[in-house]
Amino acid sequence: MASIPFTLAALSTSAVPGLVVFGAREHESDDSFVSAIVVTEDAELLVRVPRTQQAEVQQSAELLGLAALTDGPRSRLPFTVPTALGMTRAGDTRAVVTTHLDGARFEADALTDDAILLQPLAEAIAAIHELPITVAQHGGLPVRSAQDLRVLATRLVDRADATRLLPETVRRRWTHVLETADLWDFTPTVVHGSLDAEHIRVDEATVSAILGWSECSVGDPAADLAWLLAGGPEVLDGVIARYARARNSESLSHLRARAALYHELEVARWLLHGTETHDQAVIDDAVTMLDRMVGTGGALGAAFTAAVAAAPLSSDEVVALLSQTPDIDDAQSDTAAFEALDEDRMFGVDTDFIEPLTEREGDSDGDSDAEATGVIEDVDSAGDGEQLTEPISDDELPGSISR
């Protein structure tokens, strides 16, 4: 184990020509990567080597996301984003070198509705959502319509229902939200896509850096707010109120209802992960969380009631958006390392520094997931990708969810 940082330091000099390394140390990361911090004369760099094919896909996605965030978009963000510096082969895979952005960390469930951090969090999220859509379009990132996102959520519920482990009460609640068309009348924005406390670094009372851009795309802004429910409904309301002052957003009650839905759907993903990997402990954990949602209505119940009953609220009214709802244990922070990479990501676009991996045996079905999303990427011979969205038929709309 002691030799790993030095091995990765040697790889970093191959990935970044002219790099002079003064030292290296171990870096705590998830089990999907081998990583180390490399010390240079004036900076610290992060070197990561994926352990699995899934981790390679995630790393490719993150490189695409970072490449799309060129100097222009970065200048509009009130925080720092990692920069990819180079990559090199490492056995059957590759080592990628990026700038290392460190800072204080926090737990989402430790946030309170009067925390000073709520304001910088709201400003940071709003800044991401204010980026031009062309950032994603020119970067070859997924661009999805509100209808696309509704259908993807519907498919996730269908898959969870097919396990026969989804309580009927929970299924009906999710279906009801998906069938309420008004909730899905929104304008997609650039989103981080996998935002949570794990990816955020803070310095005193500011957000200093945001990591983990593998899910960056044009999507639902509510998805970047869902993780805040780990701190309770009041924390989400507090951030949404401040978020609304930072950007001219849609109906706040609708935004909150979809955020609550995405928060609950994380449990569906956890259930599917357990069934797909035949991990009974994960399955039992997910079933326990789903059972808790049956009696309480979960975070979604009050949010949906408020969204369908009330007119769009002003930013000053949003703090009183919901009545108190019972807390549910959230496994999002505990299970984030096990989330399957979004099955709808596509990685056909070449960049200047992303080196394509050699196709391995057994990966012949690697394109099936991308096709399932209805998002098709057409890459011409020059390597420029134009991303199209395949029309979605009426049969795939939430009203046709199988019972």
Side-chain angles (χ1 to χ4, degrees):
M1 292 296 294
S3 64
I4 289 178
F6 299 103
T7 300
L8 295 182
L11 288 172
S12 70
T13 61
S14 174
V16 184
L19 183 68
V20 178
V21 175
F22 287 85
R25 66 177 186 272
E26 291 184 2
H27 176 255
E28 294 184 1
S29 182
D30 63 68
D31 293 336
S32 299
F33 293 88
V34 178
S35 60
I37 302 298
V38 173
V39 182
T40 67
E41 183 178 5
D42 55 1
E44 290 188 343
L45 308 179
L46 175 64
V47 188
R48 295 198 306 167
V49 176
R51 295 178 184 270
T52 65
Q53 181 66 27
Q54 179 180 318
E56 286 179 344
V57 173
Q58 179 182 346
Q59 191 177 63
S60 295
E62 185 169 6
L63 288 172
L64 281 176
L66 295 180
L69 295 172
T70 56
D71 290 344
R74 288 171 186 247
S75 68
R76 303 175 62 159
L77 299 174
F79 51 82
T80 306
V81 174
T83 300
L85 301 177
M87 64 183 296
T88 190
R89 286 289 174 182
D92 292 333
T93 181
R94 73 288 182 87
V96 174
V97 181
T98 64
T99 53
H100 174 55
L101 303 179
D102 206 0
R105 307 187 186 194
F106 66 95
E107 297 293 334
D109 57 8
L111 292 172
T112 59
D113 60 354
D114 60 351
I116 297 176
L117 195 56
L118 298 193
Q119 181 66 34
L121 284 173
E123 292 174 352
I125 296 171
I128 296 171
H129 298 170
E130 284 291 307
L131 290 175
I133 301 297
T134 53
V135 170
Q137 292 172 332
H138 294 167
L141 303 179
V143 178
R144 302 186 180 100
S145 68
Q147 185 184 28
D148 293 335
L149 296 161
R150 187 183 179 192
V151 169
L152 291 177
T154 299
R155 290 174 181 167
L156 178 60
V157 174
D158 283 342
R159 290 171 58 204
D161 191 34
T163 67
R164 300 184 181 278
L165 297 172
L166 181 64
E168 180 63 17
T169 301
V170 177
R171 186 196 65 78
R172 284 201 305 266
R173 183 165 73 243
W174 290 350
T175 300
H176 195 23
V177 174
L178 289 165
E179 291 179 342
T180 304
D182 286 350
L183 294 181
W184 301 92
D185 182 15
F186 67 92
T187 301
T189 68
V190 173
V191 296
H192 179 280
S194 58
L195 195 61
D196 57 27
E198 181 183 355
H199 290 143
I200 299 173
R201 300 292 180 267
V202 298
D203 181 10
E204 296 182 351
T206 64
V207 173
S208 59
I210 294 185
L211 317 176
W213 293 84
S214 62
E215 299 295 329
C216 186
S217 65
V218 172
D220 190 343
D224 282 348
L225 296 162
W227 65 278
L228 291 159
L229 274 167
E234 300 84 359
V235 170
L236 176 60
D237 290 344
V239 172
I240 286 181
R242 293 163 175 82
Y243 171 91
R245 298 186 187 109
R247 67 184 303 263
N248 185 18
S249 60
E250 58 172 296
S251 167
L252 301 184
S253 59
H254 291 180
L255 185 70
R256 194 211 188 281
R258 295 198 313 279
L261 174 65
Y262 292 132
H263 180 72
E264 290 196 0
L265 289 181
E266 289 301 316
V267 184
R269 289 190 176 90
W270 187 228
L271 173 66
L272 290 170
H273 171 73
T275 57
E276 290 164 0
T277 59
H278 307 288
D279 190 328
Q280 192 60 46
V282 172
I283 295 172
D284 292 343
D285 185 37
V287 168
T288 298
M289 288 187 286
L290 289 168
D291 287 343
R292 289 195 190 103
M293 295 180 188
V294 172
T296 65
L300 181 58
F304 177 69
T305 300
V308 299
L313 302 179
S314 68
S315 59
D316 292 331
E317 295 172 317
V318 73
V319 177
L321 183 64
L322 300 173
S323 58
Q324 198 82 357
T325 58
D327 291 338
I328 59 171
D329 291 341
D330 174 41
Q332 183 175 13
S333 58
D334 293 333
T335 65
F338 299 93
E339 279 188 33
L341 184 63
D342 184 348
E343 63 180 0
D344 309 300
R345 294 308 306 268
M346 303 187 64
F347 311 112
V349 177
D350 294 332
T351 70
D352 292 337
F353 59 85
I354 295 182
E355 184 177 348
L357 293 174
T358 303
E359 184 177 351
R360 300 180 183 178
E361 294 182 6
D363 291 337
S364 60
D365 61 344
D367 293 333
S368 59
D369 287 340
E371 294 172 358
T373 67
V375 179
I376 303 175
E377 188 174 35
D378 181 17
V379 181
D380 60 24
S381 59
D384 294 325
E386 179 182 358
Q387 198 165 34
L388 305 176
T389 301
E390 181 180 347
I392 297 174
S393 67
D394 292 340
D395 292 339
E396 292 186 287
L397 289 175
S400 61
I401 295 176
S402 57
R403 296 294 190 267

